[in-house]
Amino acid sequence: MNAPANVERQPRKRTKPSFLPFACLWIVLIGAGVYGSVWYTGHLKTQISDELSRQTASQIADMQSDYNKQLSDMKTNYQEEMAKLESKVEALNELLTFNKDNMNDKTDNSNKLYTQISELKKQLDELKKNLDVLK
């Protein structure tokens, strides 16, 4: 089936692709890209937020333990210093009492404690004599 020779062939009209499907495809692709970037940004934001909160909690815990350690060290040092100061105050009180006793004319310039000890020695000597007499 050959076409007759005298019939001219008419060139086919090319149909132009429609602009509407092309534009819709681009709009869908751009929308998907925007949605993906928004979703990914939100995902990164939550990851960074979670990581920061974990780091902050860890740092707060470290600071709190360090603070508690420093506080307990200070308390221990305070108690030791107070014990030293208390012993110094007691020694000073004894010294003041001794000086006060020495200033009294009734004790013949001797310590009351020394006087009491000497009185006890006298009483012990008397008791020993009495025991010897009873034997």
Side-chain angles (χ1 to χ4, degrees):
M1 318 221 154
N2 284 346
N6 57 2
V7 180
E8 285 184 33
R9 290 179 109 181
Q10 293 182 346
R12 284 187 182 176
K13 283 188 176 182
R14 287 189 179 175
T15 58
K16 291 184 181 177
S18 176
F19 178 73
L20 187 62
F22 181 71
C24 288
L25 179 63
W26 272 106
I27 289 173
V28 168
L29 287 176
I30 291 172
V34 168
Y35 173 76
S37 64
V38 167
W39 174 80
Y40 186 67
T41 304
H43 178 68
L44 286 179
K45 186 177 179 180
T46 56
Q47 280 184 337
I48 291 171
S49 168
D50 291 344
E51 182 64 27
L52 281 176
S53 65
R54 277 193 294 269
Q55 288 177 356
T56 303
S58 172
Q59 289 174 350
I60 288 173
D62 291 343
M63 287 176 60
Q64 188 174 16
S65 66
D66 187 43
Y67 174 76
N68 287 338
K69 182 180 179 253
Q70 288 178 357
L71 191 61
S72 65
D73 289 346
M74 286 177 61
K75 182 178 178 183
T76 304
N77 289 339
Y78 173 75
Q79 289 173 344
E80 290 173 0
E81 290 296 321
M82 286 303 292
K84 289 177 185 177
L85 186 60
E86 187 176 330
S87 66
K88 287 180 181 179
V89 167
E90 287 177 10
L92 182 61
N93 281 338
E94 289 175 6
L95 181 62
L96 289 174
T97 304
F98 177 76
N99 284 337
K100 184 179 176 184
D101 289 345
N102 281 337
M103 291 177 70
N104 193 350
D105 291 337
K106 294 180 181 177
T107 57
D108 291 330
N109 294 329
S110 61
N111 190 347
K112 283 185 180 179
L113 182 61
Y114 179 75
T115 306
Q116 290 174 353
I117 289 174
S118 64
E119 288 176 7
L120 283 173
K121 281 185 182 180
K122 288 179 186 177
Q123 288 177 359
L124 280 173
D125 288 339
E126 287 178 23
L127 285 174
K128 282 182 185 178
K129 288 179 185 176
N130 288 336
L131 278 174
D132 288 338
V133 170
L134 288 174
K135 286 183 181 180

